[in-house]
Every structure is written in structure tokens, then in C-alpha cells.
Amino acid sequence: MKYYEINFDGLVGPSHNYAGLSLGNLASKNNANLTSTPKAAALQGLEKMRTLIKLGLKQGVLPPLARPNLTTLQQLGFNGDIEQMLKAAYEHEPALLASAYSASNMWVANAATVSASPDTQDNKVNFTPANLVSQFHRSIEAVQTQRNLKHIFNNTHFFHHHDPLPAHQHFADEGAANHTRLTPEYGKAGLSLFVYGQSIKEPENAPKKFPARQTLEACQAIARAHQLTAEQTVYIKQNPDVIDAGVFHNDVIAVGNLNVLFYHQDAFEDTKAVQTELNEKWAKISDKPLYFVEVPREQVSVSDAVKSYLFNTQLIALNDNEMALIAPTECQQTLAVHDYLTELVNLDNPIAKVVYQDVKQSMRNGGGPACLRLRVCLNEAELAAVNPNFVLDEAKIDALKVIVEQHYPETLDLASLANVDTYQQIQKANQALAEFFEINEEF
Ligand code: SUG
């Protein structure tokens, strides 16, 4: 049976704003309080989805979580009517209101870890929603994300849904952003690479400035729950220095797909050991070459990689022999990165093409093309079991564009979040999306 890697993109929600909420994410801090343009942000995301369809890939979509999250505000003791709640939260602490309003669920690379059915012992696609405990505004995503995933992948014959890991720093988990599948073919058992920032048992070996958002203990728990075999699982420690330089997820410094791992020389604590283990484990599953495409620091500094999001590119298969990178336009504008990419497509590896995509609105909050998508590997039968409302074609993209054009705010700043008119406009957009996706608005 044929297998596909399908990108499910997070649709940018109508409350997209810049609140500087993410410690360790340099773009989020640097652009705090900038005026956002939710309409432009969602349109940019939709155009990226269209690009993938035009390149011949199957494309899915995950709906934005309804915001503001009033349950969270109530839990924090903000009560009364809407107007009172919004005002009280804003006056007490604007960041709390911004957290309840955050559209951060658009970065669905952090929605869940997904294992493909050829890799799991129950031969089902396994999902574990990320608990996202490291950042308050993201920790409130897990409950709704799990509900959405169960609704979209709603067939127990094909899909196995696990609960998020316990909500504690010990098991801090940020989902697919720290998980990579290398495989000779989508339909064959592959290697699961779990990259972590720290082990709870080695606090001395953690980054000094910024939090490590993924623990080894979380990775191990997911591998156990998804019943991945030890021979096909590799745990890799991130270099703590790059976390302190703004690499808050592994997908800011590495990306892999099929038989290619594309990463920066400084990404991992011990690159040689990583290569050795991967080569050994790969040799047991395939005769095909495994490509390590390592970017030397002399050519691209960690700082340029973080600024341009060179590694937050989507590495996609165009056909059996060729792959392409979907890169943010910031890669074109960063000289060293552009020079590197021009050279890369002529080197001896399957990456044959770079497609530049404008996702600036998301980039300003530290989310590039790869943050905006959750990869799900599915065979034809599994794909047929997916709720079709979440599998896109260009006509559906056009219909979503109409909703965005009609209902999304042109601009938002933090003060406007406390305004009841803004609330009502966002509610209308939420309702239109709920109708389109046929989901309960409270989702
Ligand atoms: O968790 N930014 C997100 C960006 C997530 C990027 N995802 C991946 N690398 N996979 C984060 O830091 C900023 C929100 C704000 O500041 O308004 C934010 O949540």
C-alpha cells in the first residue's frame, strides 16, 4: 500500500499577536509589542499550504484553538461579564490576557509527537499531544489539541491516542519539533530520533540562560507509550550552548526526512556519537545511503541560522530521488545563508531545490515553515479514515481565504485585546471557522 508524508498545517488564528511571551525565543522577545496583522498572517500560512499542494504533496490543516481561552481566565480568578474579565486581566497583567488570547497553537510542530504505523508495535499511528509545560501560554493548548486530534483522526482501528505526559518539568515535552523520523521509505520501519535539551538527572549539564523545553525523560516516556523498539530509537542531546543562543527547539537547528539529516555543526552535544549510532542502526534497516548534511559554522553561524531559520525549513520529497526545502524568505535575505543554499542544491545529496515562502508574520514570533506543520505519515487506508474536512485542496484553501478576508482583524496590539469590540470580531471569526470545519466552537 502507498504511504504519504502529509503536512497538517496549523491555520493561524484570528488573535495572532506579539506579546513577547516565550523566554528563550529571541524573535518573540525582540518583537514584543509590535502590531500584528492576523489577516496577513493567516493568508501567508494558507499560501504556504497551497505551495505544497502545487508541488504535488497531500496537505492537511489543523484548526486554530478558539481564543481567548476564557476557562483559563476564570481559573485565574477573573470573573464577571466578558468586558469585566478582559479589562481586569489586562489591568492586572497584560501578559495574562495575551496568554489567554495567544494564537501560539498555530505552531503545530508542537502539537504532538506522531509515530507512523510501520514503526509502532500495534501497527497504528500513535499520537501524544505535547504538554508544553515550559511556557504558560502554551501549556493551555494540550487539552483542546488532544480533543481536536481525536476528532480528526477518529478511528480506533488506525489511530492510537495517548494522553499528554504529566504536566511537570520532569516530563517537559514540545512534540514533533524535537522528533525526527528517518526511513528508507515512508512505508518501512524507520528510526525515531528524539532530541532533548536536558535530562532531569543531570541538572549541571543544562543550558544556563534559557530553559531546555524537552527532557530526556519525556522522550523516553513517549517512545515507551508508542512502543518503539530500542533498535529503532535514538536519543540525542542538544548542545546546551545553542539553546542559550536561541535554539529553543531542535527544529531551529536540524531537520530530517527519509534518508537525509540536515543540521548545523553545533546542533548536538556529541555529533560524532550521533553519526555512529545512526549509521549502525540504519545499516540494520536499509542498504540505502544515509546522508548527513552538516552545515559548517564557518559558512553559517548559529546566530545566522537562528535569524534566518535555515533549519526550520520543510524538507520534502518531490519524487523518489529529489527533495526540496521550503525556506522562509529570511533565508534569502541573510547573505551567508543564501550563499550556502545556492551551493547546497549542487552538492551530492538529494536536496535539489529551494522554494522560498513568505511567512514573516509567524517568523516574528519565532515560527518558521516547519513550526507551522505537523507531519503525519499515513497509508491510503489510514488517510481515508481521516476526517475529510481537514484534508485540503485548493478550493478549500480559497474558501478559508474568504473567511480570513471577511472576519480576521487587520491589526492587533496588546491594548486592543482588552477591547470588547475586538473580542466580538474574533468570536465571529471563531464561529465562521467552526462552521467551516464542522466543529464545536468551544473546541
Ligand atoms: O513556543 N512562539 C512559539 C514559537 C514556536 C515555534 N515552534 C517550533 N520551533 N517548532 C514558542 O516560543 C510566541 C508568542 C508571543 O510571544 O506572543 C510563541 O509562543
Side-chain angles (χ1 to χ4, degrees):
M1 202 177 321
K2 201 167 160 47
Y3 280 75
Y4 308 91
E5 183 189 74
I6 306 179
N7 292 281
F8 283 80
D9 275 43
L11 177 62
V12 177
S15 63
H16 160 64
N17 69 87
Y18 300 119
L21 297 175
S22 277
L23 178 63
N25 169 343
L26 303 183
S28 157
K29 276 285 165 258
N30 294 341
N31 295 314
N33 301 324
L34 217 69
T35 298
S36 66
T37 57
K39 187 178 283 185
L43 294 176
Q44 286 170 359
L46 285 165
E47 285 313 311
K48 175 166 92 70
M49 300 180 216
R50 195 193 296 280
T51 296
L52 277 272
I53 291 178
K54 282 196 189 298
L55 286 169
L57 275 79
K58 296 195 183 296
Q59 178 70 44
V61 63
L62 299 178
L65 307 182
R67 293 288 179 260
N69 188 330
L70 296 179
T71 310
T72 298
L73 290 179
Q74 279 156 352
Q75 275 178 312
L76 297 175
F78 299 110
N79 290 305
D81 64 22
I82 291 293
E83 201 163 354
Q84 288 164 332
M85 275 170 85
L86 300 176
K87 196 163 171 285
Y90 183 72
E91 278 172 6
H92 176 74
E93 173 63 72
L96 284 186
L97 185 61
S99 295
Y101 257 118
S102 181
S104 54
N105 52 80
M106 71 173 89
W107 298 297
V108 293
N110 307 117
T113 303
V114 185
S115 294
S117 55
D119 296 353
T120 60
Q121 297 304 300
D122 64 2
N123 298 120
K124 297 184 188 192
V125 185
N126 279 235
F127 296 84
T128 297
N131 60 25
L132 294 166
V133 288
S134 297
Q135 312 287 320
F136 170 65
H137 69 292
R138 302 222 58 183
S139 68
I140 60 179
E141 294 172 25
V143 174
Q144 288 164 296
T145 296
Q146 177 168 40
R147 231 184 296 161
N148 276 356
L149 291 174
K150 283 184 170 169
H151 177 75
I152 297 166
F153 301 94
N154 180 12
N155 186 319
T156 51
H157 182 70
F158 295 114
F159 307 123
H160 186 161
H161 294 276
H162 303 271
D163 285 335
L165 298 179
H168 186 272
Q169 182 55 33
H170 198 107
F171 295 107
D173 172 28
E174 304 261 330
N178 297 316
H179 173 249
T180 305
R181 179 174 190 241
L182 295 178
T183 183
E185 284 171 43
Y186 291 128
K188 297 249 165 78
L191 302 182
S192 287
L193 282 54
F194 287 94
V195 183
Y196 62 95
Q198 96 168 92
S199 165
I200 289 298
K201 294 191 198 86
E202 294 179 4
E204 69 289 352
N205 200 3
K208 300 193 169 36
K209 209 162 134 196
F210 294 138
R213 294 211 210 170
Q214 183 89 28
T215 63
L216 170 62
E217 289 73 12
C219 298
Q220 291 168 329
I222 293 170
R224 267 194 304 275
H226 292 201
Q227 314 136 76
L228 305 173
T229 65
E231 302 80 70
Q232 283 165 228
T233 305
V234 180
Y235 299 103
I236 301 173
K237 185 158 188 301
Q238 247 186 306
N239 174 354
D241 294 343
V242 298
I243 298 180
D244 283 338
V247 181
F248 56 99
H249 290 136
N250 178 59
D251 70 3
V252 177
I253 198 92
V255 61
N257 192 3
L258 291 168
N259 59 342
V260 178
L261 186 62
F262 178 48
Y263 60 95
H264 190 274
Q265 181 180 6
D266 293 323
F268 311 124
E269 194 174 65
D270 186 347
T271 309
K272 271 267 152 300
V274 170
Q275 288 179 347
T276 306
E277 186 175 354
L278 284 173
N279 275 328
E280 277 170 17
K281 291 187 168 170
W282 180 265
K284 293 191 185 134
I285 61 167
S286 178
D287 297 334
K288 281 194 177 175
L290 175 61
Y291 292 93
F292 294 116
V293 183
E294 180 173 303
V295 181
R297 69 177 81 88
E298 277 74 36
Q299 266 184 287
V300 177
S301 63
V302 170
S303 153
D304 272 352
V306 172
K307 195 168 82 183
S308 64
Y309 264 33
L310 166 61
F311 299 96
N312 204 262
T313 40
Q314 282 179 254
L315 178 56
I316 57 165
L318 296 173
N319 52 49
D320 286 347
N321 308 310
E322 285 182 324
M323 300 181 89
L325 283 174
I326 311 294
T329 44
E330 283 75 358
C331 287
Q332 245 173 337
Q333 290 144 9
T334 309
L335 195 62
V337 171
H338 187 249
D339 286 351
Y340 175 79
L341 284 172
T342 310
E343 199 182 303
L344 173 69
V345 290
N346 296 314
L347 299 179
D348 175 29
N349 65 60
I351 306 172
K353 187 173 173 174
V354 181
V355 178
Y356 293 99
Q357 195 72 37
D358 179 4
V359 288
K360 266 192 208 67
Q361 280 289 312
S362 167
M363 283 286 286
R364 286 189 187 138
N365 249 342
C371 300
L372 285 161
R373 58 94 172 100
L374 180 66
R375 292 186 280 186
V376 185
C377 176
L378 298 171
N379 64 31
E380 278 161 346
E382 291 160 349
L383 175 58
V386 176
N387 184 325
N389 292 353
F390 302 89
V391 180
L392 290 177
D393 54 22
E394 288 206 60
K396 282 192 192 146
I397 292 183
D398 290 338
L400 281 167
K401 273 185 79 170
V402 171
I403 293 177
V404 170
E405 299 274 13
Q406 210 173 345
H407 295 291
Y408 273 45
E410 291 290 343
T411 60
L412 278 183
D413 57 26
L414 285 193
S416 65
L417 298 180
N419 183 326
V420 81
D421 294 338
T422 306
Y423 172 83
Q424 273 155 3
Q425 182 180 9
I426 288 173
Q427 278 303 93
K428 286 213 177 98
N430 288 342
Q431 271 157 20
L433 291 169
E435 271 165 41
F436 177 88
F437 289 115
E438 300 179 285
I439 53 177
N440 179 335
E441 191 210 330
E442 291 308 313
F443 243 67

